[in-house]
Amino acid sequence: MHPMTWSLVAALWVERVVSATCPNKTASPLAVPIRDTQVDPSIANSTMRGIPAKIGTPPQDIVMIPWPDLNNTYIYDAQSPCNPNVVANDVVCRIRRGGEYQEANSSSFAKSSDLVAAGGATQEITTRGSEAGVPKLISTSLAGTEVLQVNGTNATAFPIGIPRQIWDNGYTTLHVLGLGSNSTYLDALVRAGQIPGRAWSVFWGRMWTGSSATDMDGSLVLGGYDEEKVIGRNFTQPLDYSEETGCWTGMKVTVSDMVLNFRNGTDASIMPHNSAVQCCIVPQRQLLWEAPTDIVGQFEEATGTVDAGYSLGLNRDARLINMTATPNIFDGDVTFVLSSGLQVRVPNDQFIVPHADFLDSGERSVNQSQKEILIAPVDSNPATLGRAFFTAAYLLVDHDDRSFTLWQANPTTRSKLVAAPGSSSGKAAGCGGVGGGQGDAGDGSGAGSNKDATIQGRGVSAGVIAGAAVGGAAVLAGIVALVFFLRRRRKRNREGEMAPAGPLPQPDRARGSAEGAVPGSMPKLAEMRADEYHRPQEVHGESLAPPGAGLQETGRPLTFELDAAEQRR
Ligand SMILES: *[C@@H]1O[C@H](CO)[C@@H](O)[C@H](O)[C@H]1NC(C)=O
Ligand SMILES: *[C@@H]1O[C@H](CO)[C@@H](O)[C@H](O)[C@H]1NC(C)=O
Ligand SMILES: *[C@@H]1O[C@H](CO)[C@@H](O)[C@H](O)[C@H]1NC(C)=O
Ligand SMILES: *[C@@H]1O[C@H](CO)[C@@H](O)[C@H](O)[C@H]1NC(C)=O
Ligand SMILES: *[C@@H]1O[C@H](CO)[C@@H](O)[C@H](O)[C@H]1NC(C)=O
Ligand SMILES: *[C@@H]1O[C@H](CO)[C@@H](O)[C@H](O)[C@H]1NC(C)=O
Ligand SMILES: *[C@@H]1O[C@H](CO)[C@@H](O)[C@H](O)[C@H]1NC(C)=O
Ligand SMILES: *[C@@H]1O[C@H](CO)[C@@H](O)[C@H](O)[C@H]1NC(C)=O
Ligand SMILES: *[C@@H]1O[C@H](CO)[C@@H](O)[C@H](O)[C@H]1NC(C)=O
Ligand SMILES: *[C@@H]1O[C@H](CO)[C@@H](O)[C@H](O)[C@H]1NC(C)=O
Ligand SMILES: CC(=O)N[C@H]1CO[C@H](CO)[C@@H](O)[C@@H]1O
């Protein structure tokens, strides 16, 4: 082999083995605002709250939402349907989607035969409780690669799926930024040396306060979290995606009490002892709490609320308050007491909010004199803590550490970003021994600030191009690393004991894949149904979805399920 070819191969090998899995520890986390964004410039008040982003060439504006239980990123075009039971017309569909991507108008869209061929993740989670269409998303979506820009970062040749079926429930309709355990987006940022690790965190901000002075943008942090936005000690738990937990985001917590904090200083618990509720944290859901029916009843009784059914607006399923029959609308806060010891006090104006909906024209209308409570009763569905919880709590998901962490939130616009513990602890897959030396390999591109640098998708050719493009520096670093590795291995072999026989010098990687491949934890695809509306009886304080779920309507078309959703009340 020609020496130059050899060194290129070596460099690519090192790129694959080292930088493909080892984060750039000197990179800083990135903050991305979550804010009210006008979706269509020609329609006043066509507002959705989410992450403003740009896709394609020339760039098209879209609004995205972080999605913890999807690995791939899904973008809607004009042919991605909305649930007609939820969304009035095509204009409202387009606005609630956060804009429609038009791939035909983008010179950078490259169609692939399917999402996996585009370099996408091969699996989405199929645990019951996630949105009904998730198991078929990968196989049914139109797929390709695109340029995706989120807050100045630029992911090129990035794999996207374009849904061709109604897969969600229509309430959380924005374009999906997939942040699951095998997130292609986090992967792309880590590979490009843009963020220090595969972690993200979220604070939803404050909305509906009726004043722009007290409303506040939220933020998504990629690669770490915002130290200014947390208070007190952290509460860390392992991420557990196993089917047995019944929690499809991997984040199950136990709410052991809910306390009403009346204005006069009196606190009153509304949950009897031994009635703890296991909840799945689902920050993309539109409410505060999807709670067992009897607890919603106790809340209404204790607060003197008469409801008028459920909302069909933007906060769909929230309890509408009968404004004439409820003389004193509850003006106190609520405190969630988790079994971990964390207490989260949600202020009144973040869960008793004005009714908001979209007019047929695509304008968001807010009726300040019709209030609704962001709590919904669930009978057979798992209880969830949704986005309004994160007006008062702060969430970090650290895939490198396989954990998630909750804090009480400090609602502030101040910001101090720090890397997540997983990226510095060396727990990141494959970063045991060899990782250290790759720090500056990427600098050959001459990119000034790290936000301007280009991020390559995970497509094989993309990685190769990236490896080649960084040029001399990478080749040099590759040779250095290879020589370093060979010398170290020779040295170990001389010493004669601990060196493993295999060619890969990566104990942590071996451990990582072993953990990922526990035979018992493999999902039984044929058995599963990620169907929110056909779930076995809920058990308070017990497993959310007991095994042996019984008969499942696996063969039924999705339209049936959506109708069932309408009928469940
Ligand atoms: C847009 O919303 C604001 C505040 O909700 C309201 O004052 C204004 O009248 C709305 N504009 C239109 C064109 O509806
Ligand atoms: C992501 O991909 C991994 C590996 O294929 C899979 O185990 C997991 O269930 C997927 N979903 C999430 C939310 O992590
Ligand atoms: C985008 O494409 C559509 C047809 O697919 C066309 O009607 C429209 O004018 C195009 N928009 C732009 C900005 O090129
Ligand atoms: C992002 O990448 C595309 C394709 O490489 C390029 O055309 C565009 O100028 C880049 N944008 C930024 C802001 O770097
Ligand atoms: C999921 O991620 C792990 C660790 O990054 C990687 O080893 C594995 O190949 C990925 N699996 C899929 C299906 O992409
Ligand atoms: C790692 O991050 C630092 C700081 O942002 C940046 O200067 C450097 O280019 C990055 N290295 C790689 C390999 O991307
Ligand atoms: C949580 O606190 C412990 C102990 O104070 C610390 O070791 C750990 O790094 C913290 N985790 C996070 C995510 O800050
Ligand atoms: C505070 O208000 C609540 C609800 O109206 C009432 O039950 C309680 O007795 C009051 N406490 C005091 C000390 O007045
Ligand atoms: C509200 O309550 C009043 C008095 O009880 C009742 O007449 C009215 O029908 C209720 N309105 C709704 C929308 O439920
Ligand atoms: C706002 O809500 C009040 C109370 O339910 C209702 O009477 C009024 O008609 C609503 N206004 C609009 C514009 O829908
Ligand atoms: C380039 C860009 O849009 N940067 C923005 C990223 O988000 C922060 C807020 O979280 C803004 O301050 C930056 O201007």
Side-chain angles (χ1 to χ4, degrees), residues 421-447:
S423 57
S424 50
S425 69
K427 284 188 191 171
C431 295
V434 188
Q438 58 114 20
D440 293 323
D443 262 359
S445 65

Side-chain angles (χ1 to χ4, degrees), residues 57 147 149 152 154 156 452 454:
T57 312
V147 178
Q149 292 171 248
N154 199 1
T156 54
D452 298 330
T454 287

Side-chain angles (χ1 to χ4, degrees), residues 323 367 369-370:
M323 302 298 286
N367 186 345
S369 46
Q370 172 61 62

Side-chain angles (χ1 to χ4, degrees), residues 105-323:
N105 296 12
S106 171
S107 63
S108 47
F109 177 69
K111 183 180 172 301
S112 300
S113 54
D114 62 36
L115 192 43
V116 175
T122 55
Q123 262 185 34
E124 301 294 6
I125 203 157
T126 50
T127 299
R128 299 163 66 85
S130 64
E131 315 305 313
V134 169
K136 291 188 198 143
L137 259 180
I138 290 181
S139 60
T140 59
S141 292
L142 171 65
T145 56
E146 248 303 8
V147 178
L148 177 65
Q149 292 171 248
V150 178
N151 195 244
T153 64
N154 199 1
T156 54
F158 180 69
I160 57 166
I162 305 173
R164 281 288 173 268
Q165 60 169 11
I166 297 177
W167 67 276
D168 61 358
N169 295 306
Y171 324 140
T172 40
T173 44
L174 294 171
H175 299 277
V176 169
L177 187 62
L179 299 172
S181 64
N182 266 61
S183 163
T184 52
Y185 187 67
L186 291 177
D187 247 37
L189 291 174
V190 167
R191 277 159 185 259
Q194 290 282 290
I195 55 172
R198 296 184 314 123
W200 58 278
S201 47
V202 71
F203 167 61
W204 186 252
R206 299 267 164 112
M207 58 195 301
W208 316 122
T209 65
S211 144
S212 56
T214 42
D215 277 359
M216 183 183 288
D217 286 352
S219 95
L220 169 73
V221 176
L222 299 161
Y225 67 100
D226 192 336
E227 223 170 44
E228 288 280 359
K229 292 190 177 63
V230 305
I231 299 177
R233 68 164 279 216
N234 66 57
F235 294 84
T236 301
Q237 274 176 249
L239 280 167
D240 184 353
Y241 292 97
S242 60
E243 171 91 24
E244 291 68 34
T245 65
C247 177
W248 54 100
T249 61
M251 300 183 275
K252 189 158 86 166
V253 295
T254 301
V255 173
S256 50
D257 200 1
M258 184 195 235
V259 177
L260 304 183
N261 311 117
F262 289 98
R263 269 294 165 86
N264 61 12
T266 298
D267 288 343
S269 162
I270 60 162
M271 284 168 60
H273 290 301
N274 301 321
S275 64
V277 182
Q278 298 201 327
C279 300
C280 190
I281 291 179
V282 192
Q284 71 271 33
R285 290 269 168 99
Q286 71 276 20
L287 302 181
L288 171 68
W289 199 18
E290 295 175 317
T293 306
D294 51 344
I295 291 179
V296 176
Q298 279 152 17
F299 175 89
E300 293 190 351
E301 198 184 316
T303 56
T305 302
V306 178
D307 73 61
Y310 59 92
S311 172
L312 292 173
L314 202 51
N315 298 311
R316 198 185 167 94
D317 287 351
R319 302 310 283 170
L320 275 175
I321 298 178
N322 182 327
M323 302 298 286

Side-chain angles (χ1 to χ4, degrees), residues 476-488:
L476 194 64
I479 294 168
V480 168
L482 189 71
V483 167
F484 173 74
F485 155 59
L486 289 173
R487 281 179 60 183
R488 206 174 63 146

